[in-house]
PDB file of all heavy atoms in Angstrom:
ATOM      1  N   VAL Y  13       9.760  -7.387  41.473  1.00 97.00           N
ATOM      2  CA  VAL Y  13      10.964  -6.595  41.224  1.00 97.00           C
ATOM      3  C   VAL Y  13      10.616  -5.191  41.195  1.00 97.00           C
ATOM      4  O   VAL Y  13       9.722  -4.711  40.415  1.00 97.00           O
ATOM      5  CB  VAL Y  13      11.571  -7.054  39.932  1.00 97.00           C
ATOM      6  CG1 VAL Y  13      12.931  -6.219  39.701  1.00 97.00           C
ATOM      7  CG2 VAL Y  13      11.883  -8.573  39.919  1.00 97.00           C
ATOM      8  N   ARG Y  14      11.351  -4.387  42.036  1.00 96.00           N
ATOM      9  CA  ARG Y  14      11.123  -3.030  42.220  1.00 96.00           C
ATOM     10  C   ARG Y  14      12.459  -2.332  42.023  1.00 96.00           C
ATOM     11  O   ARG Y  14      13.322  -2.711  42.556  1.00 96.00           O
ATOM     12  CB  ARG Y  14      10.520  -2.625  43.541  1.00 96.00           C
ATOM     13  CG  ARG Y  14       9.957  -1.289  43.756  1.00 96.00           C
ATOM     14  CD  ARG Y  14       9.233  -1.392  45.069  1.00 96.00           C
ATOM     15  NE  ARG Y  14       8.206  -2.473  45.156  1.00 96.00           N
ATOM     16  CZ  ARG Y  14       7.692  -2.895  46.175  1.00 96.00           C
ATOM     17  NH1 ARG Y  14       7.843  -2.277  47.365  1.00 96.00           N
ATOM     18  NH2 ARG Y  14       6.835  -3.916  46.129  1.00 96.00           N
ATOM     19  N   PHE Y  15      12.426  -1.324  41.185  1.00 95.00           N
ATOM     20  CA  PHE Y  15      13.630  -0.470  40.939  1.00 95.00           C
ATOM     21  C   PHE Y  15      13.624   0.840  41.699  1.00 95.00           C
ATOM     22  O   PHE Y  15      12.523   1.481  41.613  1.00 95.00           O
ATOM     23  CB  PHE Y  15      13.844  -0.145  39.545  1.00 95.00           C
ATOM     24  CG  PHE Y  15      14.180  -1.329  38.652  1.00 95.00           C
ATOM     25  CD1 PHE Y  15      13.234  -1.896  37.769  1.00 95.00           C
ATOM     26  CD2 PHE Y  15      15.412  -2.107  38.687  1.00 95.00           C
ATOM     27  CE1 PHE Y  15      13.365  -2.991  36.990  1.00 95.00           C
ATOM     28  CE2 PHE Y  15      15.572  -3.202  37.964  1.00 95.00           C
ATOM     29  CZ  PHE Y  15      14.731  -3.763  37.026  1.00 95.00           C
ATOM     30  N   HIS Y  16      14.580   1.124  42.408  1.00 93.00           N
ATOM     31  CA  HIS Y  16      14.631   2.474  43.133  1.00 93.00           C
ATOM     32  C   HIS Y  16      15.581   3.374  42.391  1.00 93.00           C
ATOM     33  O   HIS Y  16      16.489   2.854  41.787  1.00 93.00           O
ATOM     34  CB  HIS Y  16      14.967   2.342  44.523  1.00 93.00           C
ATOM     35  CG  HIS Y  16      14.092   1.452  45.295  1.00 93.00           C
ATOM     36  ND1 HIS Y  16      12.849   1.832  45.731  1.00 93.00           N
ATOM     37  CD2 HIS Y  16      14.243   0.137  45.849  1.00 93.00           C
ATOM     38  CE1 HIS Y  16      12.264   0.927  46.261  1.00 93.00           C
ATOM     39  NE2 HIS Y  16      12.920  -0.170  46.384  1.00 93.00           N
ATOM     40  N   ARG Y  19      13.043   7.545  39.867  1.00 86.00           N
ATOM     41  CA  ARG Y  19      11.585   7.248  40.151  1.00 86.00           C
ATOM     42  C   ARG Y  19      11.587   5.663  40.376  1.00 86.00           C
ATOM     43  O   ARG Y  19      12.340   4.944  39.903  1.00 86.00           O
ATOM     44  CB  ARG Y  19      10.781   7.580  39.021  1.00 86.00           C
ATOM     45  CG  ARG Y  19      11.249   7.065  37.657  1.00 86.00           C
ATOM     46  CD  ARG Y  19      10.445   7.601  36.472  1.00 86.00           C
ATOM     47  NE  ARG Y  19      10.801   6.657  35.416  1.00 86.00           N
ATOM     48  CZ  ARG Y  19       9.950   5.696  34.891  1.00 86.00           C
ATOM     49  NH1 ARG Y  19       8.741   5.586  35.405  1.00 86.00           N
ATOM     50  NH2 ARG Y  19      10.378   4.996  33.923  1.00 86.00           N
ATOM     51  N   THR Y  20      10.580   5.400  41.186  1.00 90.00           N
ATOM     52  CA  THR Y  20      10.408   3.896  41.531  1.00 90.00           C
ATOM     53  C   THR Y  20       9.653   3.273  40.444  1.00 90.00           C
ATOM     54  O   THR Y  20       8.703   3.872  39.784  1.00 90.00           O
ATOM     55  CB  THR Y  20       9.696   3.740  42.862  1.00 90.00           C
ATOM     56  OG1 THR Y  20      10.418   4.426  43.859  1.00 90.00           O
ATOM     57  CG2 THR Y  20       9.559   2.425  43.174  1.00 90.00           C
ATOM     58  N   VAL Y  21      10.104   2.109  39.949  1.00 93.00           N
ATOM     59  CA  VAL Y  21       9.348   1.272  38.952  1.00 93.00           C
ATOM     60  C   VAL Y  21       8.999  -0.090  39.531  1.00 93.00           C
ATOM     61  O   VAL Y  21       9.886  -0.769  39.920  1.00 93.00           O
ATOM     62  CB  VAL Y  21      10.217   1.159  37.741  1.00 93.00           C
ATOM     63  CG1 VAL Y  21       9.408   0.363  36.634  1.00 93.00           C
ATOM     64  CG2 VAL Y  21      10.633   2.359  37.116  1.00 93.00           C
ATOM     65  N   HIS Y  22       7.694  -0.339  39.573  1.00 96.00           N
ATOM     66  CA  HIS Y  22       7.211  -1.678  39.983  1.00 96.00           C
ATOM     67  C   HIS Y  22       7.111  -2.556  38.799  1.00 96.00           C
ATOM     68  O   HIS Y  22       6.124  -2.686  38.120  1.00 96.00           O
ATOM     69  CB  HIS Y  22       5.870  -1.591  40.642  1.00 96.00           C
ATOM     70  CG  HIS Y  22       5.863  -0.825  41.928  1.00 96.00           C
ATOM     71  ND1 HIS Y  22       5.800  -1.389  43.123  1.00 96.00           N
ATOM     72  CD2 HIS Y  22       6.037   0.523  42.236  1.00 96.00           C
ATOM     73  CE1 HIS Y  22       5.811  -0.608  44.066  1.00 96.00           C
ATOM     74  NE2 HIS Y  22       6.022   0.639  43.513  1.00 96.00           N
ATOM     75  N   ALA Y  23       8.376  -3.146  38.407  1.00 96.00           N
ATOM     76  CA  ALA Y  23       8.478  -3.755  37.019  1.00 96.00           C
ATOM     77  C   ALA Y  23       7.776  -5.176  37.069  1.00 96.00           C
ATOM     78  O   ALA Y  23       7.223  -5.555  36.031  1.00 96.00           O
ATOM     79  CB  ALA Y  23       9.946  -3.826  36.611  1.00 96.00           C
ATOM     80  N   VAL Y  24       7.937  -5.820  38.117  1.00 97.00           N
ATOM     81  CA  VAL Y  24       7.355  -7.218  38.205  1.00 97.00           C
ATOM     82  C   VAL Y  24       6.518  -7.266  39.557  1.00 97.00           C
ATOM     83  O   VAL Y  24       7.043  -6.975  40.634  1.00 97.00           O
ATOM     84  CB  VAL Y  24       8.529  -8.362  38.229  1.00 97.00           C
ATOM     85  CG1 VAL Y  24       7.810  -9.713  38.375  1.00 97.00           C
ATOM     86  CG2 VAL Y  24       9.281  -8.252  36.881  1.00 97.00           C
ATOM     87  N   GLY Y  41       4.218 -10.169  25.635  1.00 92.00           N
ATOM     88  CA  GLY Y  41       3.758  -8.956  26.256  1.00 92.00           C
ATOM     89  C   GLY Y  41       4.335  -7.739  25.423  1.00 92.00           C
ATOM     90  O   GLY Y  41       5.313  -7.877  24.701  1.00 92.00           O
ATOM     91  N   GLU Y  42       3.910  -6.523  25.744  1.00 88.00           N
ATOM     92  CA  GLU Y  42       4.398  -5.338  25.140  1.00 88.00           C
ATOM     93  C   GLU Y  42       5.520  -4.761  25.826  1.00 88.00           C
ATOM     94  O   GLU Y  42       5.862  -5.140  26.851  1.00 88.00           O
ATOM     95  CB  GLU Y  42       3.136  -4.314  25.124  1.00 88.00           C
ATOM     96  CG  GLU Y  42       1.968  -5.021  24.369  1.00 88.00           C
ATOM     97  CD  GLU Y  42       0.743  -4.013  24.069  1.00 88.00           C
ATOM     98  OE1 GLU Y  42       0.884  -2.828  24.615  1.00 88.00           O
ATOM     99  OE2 GLU Y  42      -0.160  -4.362  23.254  1.00 88.00           O
ATOM    100  N   SER Y  43       5.986  -3.689  25.126  1.00 88.00           N
ATOM    101  CA  SER Y  43       7.136  -3.040  25.614  1.00 88.00           C
ATOM    102  C   SER Y  43       6.913  -2.570  27.179  1.00 88.00           C
ATOM    103  O   SER Y  43       5.966  -1.995  27.413  1.00 88.00           O
ATOM    104  CB  SER Y  43       7.485  -1.784  24.870  1.00 88.00           C
ATOM    105  OG  SER Y  43       8.592  -1.242  25.020  1.00 88.00           O
ATOM    106  N   GLY Y  44       7.918  -2.711  27.957  1.00 89.00           N
ATOM    107  CA  GLY Y  44       7.730  -2.338  29.365  1.00 89.00           C
ATOM    108  C   GLY Y  44       6.991  -3.317  30.310  1.00 89.00           C
ATOM    109  O   GLY Y  44       6.785  -2.926  31.424  1.00 89.00           O
ATOM    110  N   SER Y  45       6.455  -4.356  29.756  1.00 93.00           N
ATOM    111  CA  SER Y  45       5.534  -5.247  30.741  1.00 93.00           C
ATOM    112  C   SER Y  45       6.324  -5.979  31.681  1.00 93.00           C
ATOM    113  O   SER Y  45       5.694  -6.573  32.558  1.00 93.00           O
ATOM    114  CB  SER Y  45       4.718  -6.118  29.752  1.00 93.00           C
ATOM    115  OG  SER Y  45       5.412  -6.935  28.916  1.00 93.00           O
ATOM    116  N   GLY Y  46       7.664  -6.098  31.412  1.00 94.00           N
ATOM    117  CA  GLY Y  46       8.445  -6.686  32.481  1.00 94.00           C
ATOM    118  C   GLY Y  46       9.038  -8.114  31.991  1.00 94.00           C
ATOM    119  O   GLY Y  46       9.596  -8.841  32.900  1.00 94.00           O
ATOM    120  N   LYS Y  47       9.000  -8.317  30.817  1.00 95.00           N
ATOM    121  CA  LYS Y  47       9.506  -9.586  30.334  1.00 95.00           C
ATOM    122  C   LYS Y  47      11.016  -9.698  30.527  1.00 95.00           C
ATOM    123  O   LYS Y  47      11.462 -10.770  30.994  1.00 95.00           O
ATOM    124  CB  LYS Y  47       9.252  -9.782  28.722  1.00 95.00           C
ATOM    125  CG  LYS Y  47       7.768  -9.362  28.343  1.00 95.00           C
ATOM    126  CD  LYS Y  47       7.514  -9.634  26.875  1.00 95.00           C
ATOM    127  CE  LYS Y  47       8.355  -8.587  25.993  1.00 95.00           C
ATOM    128  NZ  LYS Y  47       7.782  -7.212  26.218  1.00 95.00           N
ATOM    129  N   SER Y  48      11.791  -8.756  29.981  1.00 95.00           N
ATOM    130  CA  SER Y  48      13.224  -8.833  30.228  1.00 95.00           C
ATOM    131  C   SER Y  48      13.650  -8.844  31.786  1.00 95.00           C
ATOM    132  O   SER Y  48      14.484  -9.763  32.061  1.00 95.00           O
ATOM    133  CB  SER Y  48      13.913  -7.660  29.582  1.00 95.00           C
ATOM    134  OG  SER Y  48      13.639  -7.715  28.125  1.00 95.00           O
ATOM    135  N   VAL Y  49      12.947  -8.178  32.528  1.00 96.00           N
ATOM    136  CA  VAL Y  49      13.335  -8.050  33.883  1.00 96.00           C
ATOM    137  C   VAL Y  49      13.128  -9.561  34.521  1.00 96.00           C
ATOM    138  O   VAL Y  49      13.797  -9.996  35.401  1.00 96.00           O
ATOM    139  CB  VAL Y  49      12.501  -6.987  34.692  1.00 96.00           C
ATOM    140  CG1 VAL Y  49      12.591  -7.112  36.192  1.00 96.00           C
ATOM    141  CG2 VAL Y  49      12.983  -5.534  34.186  1.00 96.00           C
ATOM    142  N   THR Y  50      12.051 -10.184  34.117  1.00 97.00           N
ATOM    143  CA  THR Y  50      11.658 -11.462  34.594  1.00 97.00           C
ATOM    144  C   THR Y  50      12.877 -12.382  34.298  1.00 97.00           C
ATOM    145  O   THR Y  50      13.396 -13.297  35.027  1.00 97.00           O
ATOM    146  CB  THR Y  50      10.358 -11.990  33.963  1.00 97.00           C
ATOM    147  OG1 THR Y  50       9.383 -11.098  34.315  1.00 97.00           O
ATOM    148  CG2 THR Y  50      10.014 -13.449  34.636  1.00 97.00           C
ATOM    149  N   LEU Y  51      13.317 -12.411  33.042  1.00 97.00           N
ATOM    150  CA  LEU Y  51      14.478 -13.308  32.687  1.00 97.00           C
ATOM    151  C   LEU Y  51      15.772 -12.876  33.355  1.00 97.00           C
ATOM    152  O   LEU Y  51      16.377 -13.832  33.912  1.00 97.00           O
ATOM    153  CB  LEU Y  51      14.782 -13.031  31.140  1.00 97.00           C
ATOM    154  CG  LEU Y  51      13.770 -13.647  30.096  1.00 97.00           C
ATOM    155  CD1 LEU Y  51      14.392 -13.548  28.732  1.00 97.00           C
ATOM    156  CD2 LEU Y  51      13.279 -15.051  30.498  1.00 97.00           C
ATOM    157  N   LYS Y  52      15.992 -11.623  33.624  1.00 96.00           N
ATOM    158  CA  LYS Y  52      17.136 -11.255  34.280  1.00 96.00           C
ATOM    159  C   LYS Y  52      17.193 -11.491  35.666  1.00 96.00           C
ATOM    160  O   LYS Y  52      18.272 -11.827  36.280  1.00 96.00           O
ATOM    161  CB  LYS Y  52      17.353  -9.637  34.032  1.00 96.00           C
ATOM    162  CG  LYS Y  52      17.879  -9.320  32.714  1.00 96.00           C
ATOM    163  CD  LYS Y  52      17.926  -7.663  32.627  1.00 96.00           C
ATOM    164  CE  LYS Y  52      18.281  -7.367  31.232  1.00 96.00           C
ATOM    165  NZ  LYS Y  52      18.042  -5.824  31.037  1.00 96.00           N
ATOM    166  N   LEU Y  58      20.271  -8.149  37.483  1.00 94.00           N
ATOM    167  CA  LEU Y  58      19.847  -6.730  37.689  1.00 94.00           C
ATOM    168  C   LEU Y  58      20.773  -6.119  38.735  1.00 94.00           C
ATOM    169  O   LEU Y  58      21.435  -6.687  39.422  1.00 94.00           O
ATOM    170  CB  LEU Y  58      18.462  -6.840  38.375  1.00 94.00           C
ATOM    171  CG  LEU Y  58      17.459  -7.517  37.380  1.00 94.00           C
ATOM    172  CD1 LEU Y  58      16.133  -7.800  38.139  1.00 94.00           C
ATOM    173  CD2 LEU Y  58      17.084  -6.515  36.212  1.00 94.00           C
ATOM    174  N   PRO Y  59      20.878  -4.735  38.601  1.00 92.00           N
ATOM    175  CA  PRO Y  59      21.857  -3.903  39.399  1.00 92.00           C
ATOM    176  C   PRO Y  59      21.418  -4.088  40.980  1.00 92.00           C
ATOM    177  O   PRO Y  59      20.324  -3.751  41.288  1.00 92.00           O
ATOM    178  CB  PRO Y  59      21.699  -2.534  38.931  1.00 92.00           C
ATOM    179  CG  PRO Y  59      20.316  -2.549  38.198  1.00 92.00           C
ATOM    180  CD  PRO Y  59      20.133  -3.873  37.611  1.00 92.00           C
ATOM    181  N   ARG Y  62      20.287  -1.112  43.403  1.00 93.00           N
ATOM    182  CA  ARG Y  62      18.899  -0.348  43.066  1.00 93.00           C
ATOM    183  C   ARG Y  62      17.728  -1.189  42.942  1.00 93.00           C
ATOM    184  O   ARG Y  62      16.635  -0.692  42.662  1.00 93.00           O
ATOM    185  CB  ARG Y  62      19.064   0.464  41.913  1.00 93.00           C
ATOM    186  CG  ARG Y  62      20.109   1.729  42.011  1.00 93.00           C
ATOM    187  CD  ARG Y  62      19.930   2.664  40.882  1.00 93.00           C
ATOM    188  NE  ARG Y  62      20.337   1.963  39.646  1.00 93.00           N
ATOM    189  CZ  ARG Y  62      19.374   1.603  38.598  1.00 93.00           C
ATOM    190  NH1 ARG Y  62      18.154   1.983  38.820  1.00 93.00           N
ATOM    191  NH2 ARG Y  62      19.801   1.091  37.642  1.00 93.00           N
ATOM    192  N   THR Y  63      17.965  -2.545  43.067  1.00 96.00           N
ATOM    193  CA  THR Y  63      16.875  -3.484  42.861  1.00 96.00           C
ATOM    194  C   THR Y  63      16.442  -4.186  44.046  1.00 96.00           C
ATOM    195  O   THR Y  63      17.252  -4.626  44.864  1.00 96.00           O
ATOM    196  CB  THR Y  63      17.288  -4.555  41.834  1.00 96.00           C
ATOM    197  OG1 THR Y  63      18.057  -3.866  40.716  1.00 96.00           O
ATOM    198  CG2 THR Y  63      16.158  -5.327  41.243  1.00 96.00           C
ATOM    199  N   GLN Y  97      18.507 -10.043  21.746  1.00 89.00           N
ATOM    200  CA  GLN Y  97      18.230  -9.436  20.453  1.00 89.00           C
ATOM    201  C   GLN Y  97      19.615  -9.026  19.671  1.00 89.00           C
ATOM    202  O   GLN Y  97      19.814  -9.301  18.495  1.00 89.00           O
ATOM    203  CB  GLN Y  97      17.369  -8.295  20.557  1.00 89.00           C
ATOM    204  CG  GLN Y  97      16.945  -7.597  19.302  1.00 89.00           C
ATOM    205  CD  GLN Y  97      15.826  -6.544  19.529  1.00 89.00           C
ATOM    206  OE1 GLN Y  97      15.070  -6.641  20.439  1.00 89.00           O
ATOM    207  NE2 GLN Y  97      15.827  -5.571  18.568  1.00 89.00           N
ATOM    208  N   ASP Y 179      15.804 -13.635  24.923  1.00 95.00           N
ATOM    209  CA  ASP Y 179      15.170 -12.423  24.950  1.00 95.00           C
ATOM    210  C   ASP Y 179      14.997 -11.775  23.623  1.00 95.00           C
ATOM    211  O   ASP Y 179      15.935 -11.171  23.090  1.00 95.00           O
ATOM    212  CB  ASP Y 179      15.916 -11.469  26.025  1.00 95.00           C
ATOM    213  CG  ASP Y 179      15.056 -10.230  26.347  1.00 95.00           C
ATOM    214  OD1 ASP Y 179      13.933 -10.099  25.670  1.00 95.00           O
ATOM    215  OD2 ASP Y 179      15.538  -9.475  27.148  1.00 95.00           O
ATOM    216  N   GLU Y 180      13.903 -12.061  22.908  1.00 93.00           N
ATOM    217  CA  GLU Y 180      13.660 -11.518  21.669  1.00 93.00           C
ATOM    218  C   GLU Y 180      14.811 -11.757  20.659  1.00 93.00           C
ATOM    219  O   GLU Y 180      15.253 -10.791  19.951  1.00 93.00           O
ATOM    220  CB  GLU Y 180      13.409 -10.065  21.563  1.00 93.00           C
ATOM    221  CG  GLU Y 180      12.364  -9.722  22.607  1.00 93.00           C
ATOM    222  CD  GLU Y 180      11.302  -8.619  22.165  1.00 93.00           C
ATOM    223  OE1 GLU Y 180      11.111  -8.504  21.042  1.00 93.00           O
ATOM    224  OE2 GLU Y 180      10.837  -7.853  23.019  1.00 93.00           O
ATOM    225  N   VAL Y 211      11.107 -14.867  25.256  1.00 96.00           N
ATOM    226  CA  VAL Y 211      10.431 -13.651  25.390  1.00 96.00           C
ATOM    227  C   VAL Y 211      10.199 -13.075  23.995  1.00 96.00           C
ATOM    228  O   VAL Y 211      11.027 -12.962  23.216  1.00 96.00           O
ATOM    229  CB  VAL Y 211      11.173 -12.733  26.311  1.00 96.00           C
ATOM    230  CG1 VAL Y 211      10.910 -11.296  25.911  1.00 96.00           C
ATOM    231  CG2 VAL Y 211      11.005 -12.954  27.705  1.00 96.00           C
ATOM    232  N   THR Y 212       8.868 -12.648  23.769  1.00 94.00           N
ATOM    233  CA  THR Y 212       8.669 -12.027  22.436  1.00 94.00           C
ATOM    234  C   THR Y 212       7.337 -11.220  22.578  1.00 94.00           C
ATOM    235  O   THR Y 212       6.615 -11.189  23.458  1.00 94.00           O
ATOM    236  CB  THR Y 212       8.439 -13.159  21.359  1.00 94.00           C
ATOM    237  OG1 THR Y 212       8.161 -12.620  20.203  1.00 94.00           O
ATOM    238  CG2 THR Y 212       7.311 -14.153  21.770  1.00 94.00           C
ATOM    239  N   HIS Y 213       7.217 -10.323  21.591  1.00 90.00           N
ATOM    240  CA  HIS Y 213       5.963  -9.574  21.529  1.00 90.00           C
ATOM    241  C   HIS Y 213       5.095 -10.031  20.329  1.00 90.00           C
ATOM    242  O   HIS Y 213       4.186  -9.403  19.950  1.00 90.00           O
ATOM    243  CB  HIS Y 213       6.135  -7.998  21.531  1.00 90.00           C
ATOM    244  CG  HIS Y 213       7.035  -7.579  20.352  1.00 90.00           C
ATOM    245  ND1 HIS Y 213       8.345  -7.188  20.509  1.00 90.00           N
ATOM    246  CD2 HIS Y 213       6.824  -7.464  19.068  1.00 90.00           C
ATOM    247  CE1 HIS Y 213       8.958  -7.000  19.353  1.00 90.00           C
ATOM    248  NE2 HIS Y 213       8.026  -7.174  18.422  1.00 90.00           N
ATOM    249  N   MET Y 228       1.948 -11.427  29.574  1.00 97.00           N
ATOM    250  CA  MET Y 228       2.229 -10.520  30.603  1.00 97.00           C
ATOM    251  C   MET Y 228       1.784  -9.018  30.399  1.00 97.00           C
ATOM    252  O   MET Y 228       1.812  -8.637  29.260  1.00 97.00           O
ATOM    253  CB  MET Y 228       3.873 -10.450  30.745  1.00 97.00           C
ATOM    254  CG  MET Y 228       4.332  -9.951  31.993  1.00 97.00           C
ATOM    255  SD  MET Y 228       6.180 -10.372  32.220  1.00 97.00           S
ATOM    256  CE  MET Y 228       6.321  -9.968  33.899  1.00 97.00           C
ATOM    257  N   GLY Y 231       3.620  -6.119  34.396  1.00 96.00           N
ATOM    258  CA  GLY Y 231       4.509  -6.874  35.452  1.00 96.00           C
ATOM    259  C   GLY Y 231       3.778  -8.053  36.023  1.00 96.00           C
ATOM    260  O   GLY Y 231       4.176  -8.649  36.970  1.00 96.00           O
ATOM    261  N   PRO Y 276       0.022   1.167  31.680  1.00 86.00           N
ATOM    262  CA  PRO Y 276       0.337   2.152  32.796  1.00 86.00           C
ATOM    263  C   PRO Y 276       1.739   2.353  33.037  1.00 86.00           C
ATOM    264  O   PRO Y 276       2.671   1.648  32.535  1.00 86.00           O
ATOM    265  CB  PRO Y 276      -0.315   1.341  34.013  1.00 86.00           C
ATOM    266  CG  PRO Y 276      -0.358  -0.005  33.592  1.00 86.00           C
ATOM    267  CD  PRO Y 276      -0.523  -0.147  32.069  1.00 86.00           C
ATOM    268  N   ALA Y 277       2.111   3.271  33.821  1.00 82.00           N
ATOM    269  CA  ALA Y 277       3.400   3.721  34.054  1.00 82.00           C
ATOM    270  C   ALA Y 277       4.243   2.820  35.125  1.00 82.00           C
ATOM    271  O   ALA Y 277       5.465   2.996  35.240  1.00 82.00           O
ATOM    272  CB  ALA Y 277       3.520   5.258  34.445  1.00 82.00           C
ATOM    273  N   LEU Y 278       3.440   2.106  35.952  1.00 88.00           N
ATOM    274  CA  LEU Y 278       4.056   1.297  36.933  1.00 88.00           C
ATOM    275  C   LEU Y 278       4.897   2.000  38.009  1.00 88.00           C
ATOM    276  O   LEU Y 278       5.706   1.381  38.562  1.00 88.00           O
ATOM    277  CB  LEU Y 278       5.116   0.385  36.299  1.00 88.00           C
ATOM    278  CG  LEU Y 278       4.547  -0.520  35.185  1.00 88.00           C
ATOM    279  CD1 LEU Y 278       5.767  -1.428  34.715  1.00 88.00           C
ATOM    280  CD2 LEU Y 278       3.514  -1.491  35.762  1.00 88.00           C
TER     281      LEU Y 278
ATOM    282  N   ASP T 202       3.669  -0.805  20.063  1.00 84.00           N
ATOM    283  CA  ASP T 202       3.118  -2.024  20.576  1.00 84.00           C
ATOM    284  C   ASP T 202       1.903  -2.415  19.672  1.00 84.00           C
ATOM    285  O   ASP T 202       1.124  -1.553  19.233  1.00 84.00           O
ATOM    286  CB  ASP T 202       2.634  -1.896  22.033  1.00 84.00           C
ATOM    287  CG  ASP T 202       3.827  -1.923  22.932  1.00 84.00           C
ATOM    288  OD1 ASP T 202       4.746  -2.561  22.595  1.00 84.00           O
ATOM    289  OD2 ASP T 202       3.806  -1.200  23.958  1.00 84.00           O
TER     290      ASP T 202
HETATM  291  N1  LIG J 401      17.700  -1.403  35.422  1.00 51.53           N
HETATM  292  C1  LIG J 401      16.549  -0.875  35.569  1.00 51.53           C
HETATM  293  N2  LIG J 401      16.275   0.258  36.359  1.00 51.53           N
HETATM  294  C2  LIG J 401      15.118   0.871  36.375  1.00 51.53           C
HETATM  295  N3  LIG J 401      14.110   0.529  35.641  1.00 51.53           N
HETATM  296  C3  LIG J 401      14.170  -0.497  34.967  1.00 51.53           C
HETATM  297  C4  LIG J 401      15.508  -1.277  34.753  1.00 51.53           C
HETATM  298  N4  LIG J 401      15.255  -2.316  33.885  1.00 51.53           N
HETATM  299  C5  LIG J 401      13.998  -2.223  33.445  1.00 51.53           C
HETATM  300  N5  LIG J 401      13.342  -1.219  34.139  1.00 51.53           N
HETATM  301  C6  LIG J 401      11.910  -0.856  33.879  1.00 51.53           C
HETATM  302  O1  LIG J 401      11.098  -1.921  34.260  1.00 51.53           O
HETATM  303  C7  LIG J 401       9.959  -1.995  33.385  1.00 51.53           C
HETATM  304  C8  LIG J 401       9.906  -3.361  32.696  1.00 51.53           C
HETATM  305  O2  LIG J 401      11.081  -3.490  31.804  1.00 51.53           O
HETATM  306  P1  LIG J 401      11.479  -4.635  30.971  1.00 51.53           P
HETATM  307  O3  LIG J 401      12.741  -4.409  30.351  1.00 51.53           O
HETATM  308  O4  LIG J 401      11.313  -6.062  31.727  1.00 51.53           O
HETATM  309  O5  LIG J 401      10.316  -4.677  29.762  1.00 51.53           O
HETATM  310  P2  LIG J 401      10.100  -5.629  28.541  1.00 51.53           P
HETATM  311  O6  LIG J 401       8.834  -6.230  28.821  1.00 51.53           O
HETATM  312  O7  LIG J 401      11.256  -6.440  28.349  1.00 51.53           O
HETATM  313  O8  LIG J 401       9.992  -4.570  27.371  1.00 51.53           O
HETATM  314  P3  LIG J 401      10.547  -4.569  25.867  1.00 51.53           P
HETATM  315  O9  LIG J 401       9.589  -5.369  25.077  1.00 51.53           O
HETATM  316  O10 LIG J 401      10.548  -3.036  25.451  1.00 51.53           O
HETATM  317  O11 LIG J 401      11.893  -5.149  25.937  1.00 51.53           O
HETATM  318  C9  LIG J 401      10.121  -0.916  32.463  1.00 51.53           C
HETATM  319  O12 LIG J 401       9.252   0.129  32.857  1.00 51.53           O
HETATM  320  C10 LIG J 401      11.570  -0.486  32.470  1.00 51.53           C
HETATM  321  O13 LIG J 401      11.750   0.890  32.132  1.00 51.53           O
END
Side-chain angles (χ1 to χ4, degrees):
Chain Y
V13 180
R14 192 166 309 167
F15 295 107
H16 298 292
R19 56 186 195 104
T20 302
V21 180
H22 293 255
V24 175
E42 300 190 349
S43 188
S45 59
K47 306 181 297 295
S48 298
V49 169
T50 304
L51 290 194
K52 286 177 184 165
L58 297 166
R62 292 190 298 109
T63 314
Q97 181 173 335
D179 196 352
E180 311 216 30
V211 156
T212 178
H213 56 258
M228 197 162 195
L278 302 175
Chain T
D202 282 329

